[in-house]
Amino acid sequence: MSDSTAEWIRIGELSRRTGVSVRSLRYYEQQKMLISERTPGGHREYPEAAVDRVILIQQLFAAGLHSTKIAQLLPCMRAPEGRPNEHATPRLVDELTAECGRIESMIRDLNISKSILQEVIRSTETEARRTDY
């Protein structure tokens, strides 16, 4: 059970501090992205480090990664001792490099769309000034 010297928080507190719903936190746990321990009363408790973990999960979702890929990636991010993690395989590196390429492509496409929209706005503003009485 919980180490008496470590700081532990319950699921509601984790939800409040991260802005992530309790339902999503349970999903993260189900997908093996987050780990909790149970109190004798059956309540979930998370180590203080879970706050940073949940924020990281949210950032990875925002980057367009799906939960399966995130679950593969999380164990590779940091070995507890700070050394390279044995879960980081060449195949995973290739997959993550491909994800990075996909995101870069999306950024290029969004920048093109933004430029087009800015041009439409400029020309619309010019036209609107001409017809404004």
Side-chain angles (χ1 to χ4, degrees):
M1 183 37 56
S2 302
D3 178 358
S4 61
T5 62
E7 186 81 24
W8 292 84
I9 56 177
R10 291 211 175 156
I11 194 167
E13 176 69 8
L14 183 59
S15 174
R16 185 188 66 72
R17 290 178 55 187
T18 61
V20 174
S21 71
V22 168
R23 183 176 179 197
S24 291
L25 295 173
R26 287 184 183 128
Y27 174 76
Y28 296 172
E29 207 172 325
Q30 178 187 16
Q31 297 301 309
K32 309 287 190 240
M33 296 185 286
L34 190 62
I35 297 172
S36 71
E37 292 191 14
R38 297 292 182 137
T39 66
H43 297 283
R44 288 178 169 89
E45 284 190 332
Y46 300 89
E48 183 68 29
V51 172
D52 291 335
R53 169 63 62 108
V54 170
I55 291 168
L56 177 60
I57 291 168
Q58 288 293 291
Q59 290 170 334
L60 294 170
F61 272 127
L65 276 68
H66 53 83
S67 60
T68 304
K69 185 65 65 190
I70 294 170
Q72 287 177 321
L73 173 63
L74 287 172
C76 302
M77 299 200 67
R78 292 182 196 102
E81 308 80 29
R83 62 180 164 65
N85 194 301
E86 67 274 1
H87 294 287
T89 64
R91 180 174 173 234
L92 183 59
V93 170
D94 290 344
E95 290 174 9
L96 294 174
T97 301
E99 286 290 333
C100 192
R102 181 188 63 76
I103 291 168
E104 287 173 352
S105 178
M106 289 173 59
I107 290 169
R108 279 190 303 274
D109 292 345
L110 287 169
N111 279 325
I112 291 168
S113 296
K114 177 183 167 189
S115 294
I116 292 168
L117 184 56
Q118 287 173 327
E119 181 55 38
V120 169
I121 290 168
R122 280 191 295 275
S123 64
T124 302
E125 285 176 337
T126 302
E127 190 61 35
R129 284 189 201 115
R130 284 188 204 154
T131 59
D132 195 21
Y133 295 92

